[in-house]
Amino acid sequence: MLIKAPRGTRDILPPDVGQWQFVEGKAAEMCRIFGYQEIRTPVFEHTELFLRGVGEVTDIVSKEMYTFQDRGERSLTLRPEGTAPVARSYLEHKLYGETQPVKVYYIGPMFRYDRPQAGRYRQFHQFGVEVFGADDPTVDADVMVLALKFFRGLGLSDVTLQVNSVGCSACRSAYRTLLQEQLREKVSGLCVDCTDRYEKNPLRILDCKNVRCHELTENVPMMTDHLCQECATHFTAVKQAMDKLGETYLVNPRLVRGLDYYTKTAFEITSSVLGAQSSLGGGGRYDHLLSTIGGPEIPGIGFAIGLERALLAMEAEKVSIPVANTLDAFVATAGDVGADEALAVTMMLRDAGIAADKDYLGRSLKAQLKFADKKEVRFLIILGDEELKLGMATVRDMKNGTQQSVSMTGLTAHLTALVKEAK
RNA sequence: GUGGGUGUAGCUCAGGUGGUUAGAGCACCAGAUUGUGGCUCUGGGGGCCGUGGGUUCGAGUCCCAUCAUCCACCCCA
């Protein structure tokens, strides 16, 4: 217990950090190009924010939150998602008073008390974006394309975008009633989960994996055919914008997202290489979220992408990740040359911007060579009695095995040139 | 929260029907003309057999519980 990471959490060890930096770097780069700026919010918030923002009847809130009391008796919750906190920050700092729209992105850990599974963790990481203060359909397209280009940038090819419109408060509630009427006769034939959904969230029945439920809803009317004028126009415009960009997508009228706040556009990006948790990311428009948590009526839209899943998909698709090389040079000693002498030389190289290190365990020259080889260091500097007497050092190229004598005074310049050439 | 699989060395795994000091490969460390890596050879360090109970003369092996992990459901990223 003592030396075990808690359930559903894990360490990202040095050999894997490079992949994370690559993915996070891609996200930042893509966002910069798309005109988004980074925002960082706390990892915990007042519990009420999620109760009201995400919705009390959602699974996230009803059974997956890490909620605790602090010493001041406040109920706090480790953020289960990023949209509500960013929306809160936007309101708190009255960013609606500035030039609109506000386009931001975030990268960081989220927490959900779920049972761990392939691609699902209790602490996981999301990259997400939010746009506040613009309800134009081209914003919807902007957001979706950013997500797609991000995945492409990672080298993923098995990526599918599914789009739907879940309507607004007006047309959705009308459709919901219609759907319940249509399904009234068939409720008994649905699976246990769907029987429950019939009352709580009938739209979700359309999304059920159960084949039987799918059959029973075969001829039921779809949301997309019952949108109000405004929502229908918006949805058409979103699709037009995507078409104009030549982006492919699948209209899935059965797509329903789990969070309460979505309106109009809802989308999900999936990969078939992921197993049961096939969703790489998802998002949508939330035109009433801000007012729900106490702000003015301001439209918003965003997405969240699971970084672990992106990494998993990259692994499954065998995408090679460019990893930055570590050390440029390793300083080895032979004979009676002291460790402090080696440290001084190492430091001299570092001061010139060369990534260098030395042996700290008093190992034999042979062992030092072996170490440098394992660490894939290109250049080895050998400091020995003979060299030092002459004010020289031996520089060995580990790649082709050649070596030459270089004067101590010219060592830095010599290596700088070698390292530059090697890169 | 529900169902199923699995827990033996750092990693991947062997250890028929319970029976002496629990093994292999890889990894790690050290040697093989005392100043030179990769290949090869030799040797070495490492194991509360997940944990706690129970059955038994005797448990890595059987039973129960528990924890962890994996997969699926639910849900989602």
Side-chain angles (χ1 to χ4, degrees):
Chain A
M1 248 346 106
L2 186 61
I3 46 168
K4 182 90 179 72
R7 181 167 208 198
T9 70
R10 51 181 205 164
D11 302 308
I12 298 166
L13 298 173
D16 298 325
V17 167
Q19 308 173 7
W20 282 85
Q21 289 174 337
F22 173 73
V23 170
E24 289 164 355
K26 260 295 178 256
E29 177 193 337
M30 221 43 106
C31 284
R32 186 185 65 78
I33 291 170
F34 272 70
Y36 290 78
Q37 287 191 301
E38 186 177 2
I39 185 167
R40 303 189 186 194
T41 65
V43 292
F44 58 83
E45 297 275 352
H46 293 293
T47 302
E48 304 92 270
L49 175 65
F50 300 114
L51 292 183
R52 306 219 5 222
V54 179
E56 301 200 34
V57 297
T58 61
D59 277 39
I60 290 178
V61 170
S62 64
K63 52 183 226 194
E64 295 173 6
M65 293 210 299
Y66 272 97
T67 299
F68 62 96
Q69 292 252 315
D70 73 0
R71 288 165 187 273
E73 310 278 289
R74 284 171 283 256
S75 178
L76 302 172
T77 295
L78 260 30
R79 61 181 185 196
E81 58 105 51
T83 301
V86 172
R88 189 227 82 222
S89 178
Y90 173 85
L91 293 176
E92 179 171 344
H93 302 287
K94 299 189 167 54
L95 299 185
Y96 46 80
E98 297 180 10
T99 310
Q100 301 299 295
V102 170
K103 299 173 77 176
V104 292
Y105 77 93
Y106 59 85
I107 298 173
M110 303 294 162
F111 307 84
R112 261 124 92 160
Y113 190 89
D114 237 348
R115 192 126 161 213
Q117 199 182 314
R120 199 169 72 188
Y121 309 91
R122 289 186 171 179
Q123 175 176 339
F124 60 103
H125 298 79
Q126 285 189 335
F127 153 47
V129 309
E130 314 291 350
V131 181
F132 298 107
D135 58 7
D136 191 84
T138 55
V139 180
D140 303 39
D142 192 67
V143 166
M144 290 191 283
V145 173
L146 169 51
L148 287 174
K149 286 189 187 289
F150 167 67
F151 288 124
R152 271 180 222 141
L154 295 184
L156 293 175
S157 49
D158 186 345
V159 169
T160 308
L161 171 66
Q162 296 184 49
V163 191
N164 191 21
S165 176
V166 294
C168 58
S169 48
C171 54
R172 183 162 61 219
S173 63
Y175 171 70
R176 187 191 149 111
T177 311
L178 174 71
L179 187 61
Q180 278 176 324
E181 277 167 21
Q182 295 278 321
L183 288 172
R184 186 154 297 151
E185 310 283 284
K186 301 170 177 169
V187 180
S188 55
L190 297 170
C191 71
V192 276
D193 294 316
C194 283
T195 315
D196 209 40
R197 290 174 181 136
Y198 181 76
E199 291 299 335
K200 262 168 52 183
N201 192 354
L203 297 236
R204 196 76 68 71
I205 296 173
L206 303 176
D207 211 15
C208 186
K209 283 180 188 171
N210 190 306
V211 277
R212 185 100 177 83
C213 297
H214 216 270
E215 284 168 13
L216 287 171
T217 54
E218 204 69 55
N219 299 310
V220 140
M222 289 295 150
M223 180 77 239
T224 37
D225 297 320
H226 292 269
L227 295 170
C228 65
Q229 190 59 48
E230 189 193 326
C231 288
T233 307
H234 185 91
F235 192 39
T236 304
V238 171
K239 289 186 285 188
Q240 262 173 21
M242 293 297 282
D243 292 338
K244 181 146 189 169
L245 293 171
E247 293 289 353
T248 52
Y249 55 89
L250 221 66
V251 174
N252 178 1
R254 291 170 179 270
L255 177 70
V256 181
R257 310 245 354 122
L259 285 60
D260 272 6
Y261 50 61
Y262 288 116
T263 53
K264 293 180 180 169
T265 309
F267 61 95
E268 182 163 1
I269 294 171
T270 56
S271 165
S272 67
V273 302
L274 285 181
Q277 311 301 319
S278 61
S279 178
L280 278 169
R285 180 163 280 288
Y286 44 84
D287 290 344
H288 308 301
L289 173 63
L290 284 282
S291 60
T292 302
I293 61 174
E297 190 78 26
I298 293 169
I301 180 169
F303 68 64
I305 286 168
L307 262 29
E308 279 83 358
R309 289 186 189 175
L311 253 355
L312 237 36
M314 288 166 75
E315 201 177 317
E317 286 199 36
K318 297 193 166 39
V319 176
S320 66
I321 297 162
V323 180
N325 218 37
T326 45
L327 286 177
D328 299 317
F330 186 83
V331 179
T333 56
D336 299 325
V337 177
D340 56 346
E341 183 65 37
L343 183 61
V345 173
T346 305
M347 212 58 80
M348 179 178 82
L349 297 175
R350 288 172 177 168
D351 287 341
I354 297 166
D357 211 346
K358 66 180 273 290
D359 172 64
Y360 300 100
L361 301 177
R363 281 186 281 215
S364 67
L365 178 63
K366 191 190 183 91
Q368 293 180 67
L369 264 294
K370 220 170 188 169
F371 179 86
D373 183 51
K374 212 158 356 191
K375 295 284 182 187
E376 296 183 308
V377 183
R378 176 71 185 269
F379 301 105
L380 187 86
I381 291 98
I382 301 172
L383 267 33
D385 303 325
E386 297 160 27
E387 286 92 338
L388 239 51
K389 232 178 287 170
L390 303 167
M392 309 285 278
T394 299
V395 176
R396 180 182 178 83
D397 184 334
M398 297 292 281
K399 194 173 174 187
N400 50 39
T402 59
Q403 56 187 53
Q404 53 186 311
S405 253
V406 178
S407 77
M408 218 49 156
T409 49
L411 185 62
T412 306
H414 184 76
L415 264 166
T416 303
L418 283 179
V419 168
K420 192 174 171 188
E421 192 188 324
K423 278 177 180 164

